[in-house]
Amino acid sequence: MSPSAPEANVSRSRVVVVGAGFAGFQAARTLSRTVRNTAEIVVLNPTDYFLYLPLLPQVAAGTLEPRRVTVSIPDTLPRVRLVLGEAGRVDLAGRRVHYTDPEGVSGELEYDRLILAVGSVNRLLPVPGIAEHAHGFRGLPEALYLRDHITRQIELATDASAEESASRRTFVVVGAGYTGTEVAAQGTMFTDALARRQHPRRQSERPRWVLLDVADRVLPGLDRRLSSTADRVLRRRGVDVRTGTSVEEATRTGVRLDDGEFIGTRTVIWCVGVRPDPLVSQVGLPVEHGRLLVDPRLTVPGHPDVFACGDAAAVPDLTRPGEYTPMTAQHAARQGKLAGLNVAASLGHGEQRSYKHHDLGFAVDLGGVSAAANPLGIPLSGPLAGAVTRGYHLAAMPGNRVRVAADWLLDAVLPRQSVQLGLVRSWSVPLDTASPELARVPGGPSTKE
Ligand SMILES: Cc1cc2nc3c(=O)[nH]c(=O)nc-3n(C[C@H](O)[C@H](O)[C@H](O)COP(=O)(O)OP(=O)(O)OC[C@H]3O[C@@H](n4cnc5c(N)ncnc54)[C@H](O)[C@@H]3O)c2cc1C
């Protein structure tokens, strides 16, 4: 036990939940409601919030303010102890999780039950220049940074040469899964709005979005009807959709495609998918494509005190024998709930159950009133799909719903606020370059009228 995480009550069993995404948050919530105060529940997570990832493209596009897509862990899980930090090692024999807190201090947490719910990370392919020049899209800082960067590109384009302006106004999204498709669809609306407010001499030059995928259609993993709806909306908005295409190289000034074409751009957004968090492979237990193998009760075989769920776990899909459940929010949240119940059962509260969930469909928000959705397998498009999609998100969010709905309402009636927040590196004035005169002023620098 580290000095920063003092022992609260040694007589109670301790459940440590690593990760507070869809799976971990629901696991901790369900567990705390089921066991009440008879067990100590500790959540180890790098941030003090749960992040509702499906709405992240709307943060990048300026529709939602960043805090809207977060749900505070201390506010919503009052019986749970939050330890801020990132797990680095799991000692199964010693029943300990070693972690590092946000200030670099190491600590460890002993557990009686462990729930691993660390989710996934960006999948990086060995394409030259991507690691240096592309923007990732996985967390709140990345979405906010991207919003600032896009705003700056449009603003800088105003006074640039024709060639530079074209490159600054070109945005390339690599990967047309749900994230890339939403980023491109919503990004177009955002940059059109930004461009309309620029100097009239550049207003005729519309920003250009290019969406690439090696697959033969957008939304390749989803129902074909969703793909065709999304494709139609994207092309109607002017997005240059290139299927069967990949990137060979990225540089500071553009990307080279596998057909040899070079597209000048200052913005490459990497949305090629995710892979399970690398912590999973380091635990030393059997994995399936990087996901921790569990049985239908979400327990690791041979380790009845270790549970895993969400993107980090390979959970047998009992509705499709021989397959594992896909990495989606829908499954992660439900598995999290069940992990909470099954851990509670292992502590004497109720019976353990197996995970079985029939997919309820998917919803892709394309911005404005457009969406592509297939709730319960019924394909929808247009404003009806838009309403269903937003209703679904509001129902699925574990908090902050009123603020999200209010932002949507405001976005429908007011222009988007498009100022940069200064996240993209800018000129700075380091203290050692301050004028000697100012530096000599007792009590620090002052201004002269
Ligand atoms: C931009 C984006 C949009 C998406 N849109 C959709 C969508 O529309 N519909 C859909 O179904 N799915 C969507 N997904 C996928 C969905 O978000 C994931 O399937 C879901 O988040 C998985 O939940 P999880 O709890 O397993 O992982 P996460 O939600 O990723 O949570 C993992 C948590 O663990 C924490 N963590 C990671 N490593 C450590 C560590 N070492 N120590 C402690 N904590 C750690 C993370 O900080 C995070 O809080 C989207 C994903 C992204 C990135």
Side-chain angles (χ1 to χ4, degrees), residues 22 170 322 346 361 366:
F22 280 87
T170 299
S346 77
L366 300 168

Side-chain angles (χ1 to χ4, degrees), residues 19 21-23 45-46 54 87 118-119 138 178-179 277 310-311 327-329 332 362:
F22 280 87
N45 196 58
V118 286
R138 191 77 186 77
Y178 44 75
T179 303
D277 192 286
D311 284 4
M327 292 160 89
T328 63
F362 213 89

Side-chain angles (χ1 to χ4, degrees), residues 18-24 44-46 53-54 56-57 85-87 117-120 137-138 178-179 182 274 277 279 309-312 327-330 332 362-363 393:
V18 185
F22 280 87
L44 174 65
N45 196 58
L53 280 163
L56 211 51
E86 217 167 296
V118 286
S120 46
F137 199 78
R138 191 77 186 77
Y178 44 75
T179 303
E182 288 191 5
V274 293
D277 192 286
L279 176 74
C309 44
D311 284 4
M327 292 160 89
T328 63
Q330 195 183 127
F362 213 89
H393 286 314

Side-chain angles (χ1 to χ4, degrees), residues 57-75:
Q58 301 198 22
V59 174
T63 315
L64 290 176
E65 283 308 311
R67 283 201 178 85
R68 305 292 184 258
V69 299
T70 66
V71 175
S72 157
I73 297 170
D75 286 349

Side-chain angles (χ1 to χ4, degrees), residues 195-247:
R196 274 197 296 275
R197 269 176 259 155
Q198 296 309 296
H199 193 275
R201 82 187 179 97
R202 288 287 193 208
Q203 277 180 5
S204 59
E205 298 168 15
R206 200 177 167 203
R208 172 187 180 210
W209 283 77
V210 184
L211 176 62
L212 311 171
D213 203 296
V214 278
D216 62 353
R217 59 183 172 114
V218 299
L219 302 176
L222 301 181
D223 186 323
R224 282 193 175 270
R225 291 167 297 188
L226 295 189
S227 297
S228 53
T229 301
D231 193 86
R232 204 173 49 243
V233 172
L234 287 162
R235 290 180 197 273
R236 202 173 57 218
R237 290 205 187 134
V239 176
D240 181 356
V241 179
R242 311 267 187 110
T243 50
T245 307
S246 67
V247 172

Side-chain angles (χ1 to χ4, degrees), residues 5 23 59 73 83 87 110 115 132 173 177 211 217 255 257-258 288 305 307 326 364 371 388 390 430:
V59 174
I73 297 170
V83 174
E110 287 177 11
I115 302 180
E132 296 85 351
V173 182
L211 176 62
R217 59 183 172 114
V255 286
L257 308 184
D258 58 355
E288 165 68 31
D305 53 339
F307 295 73
V364 182
V388 167
R390 292 198 166 179

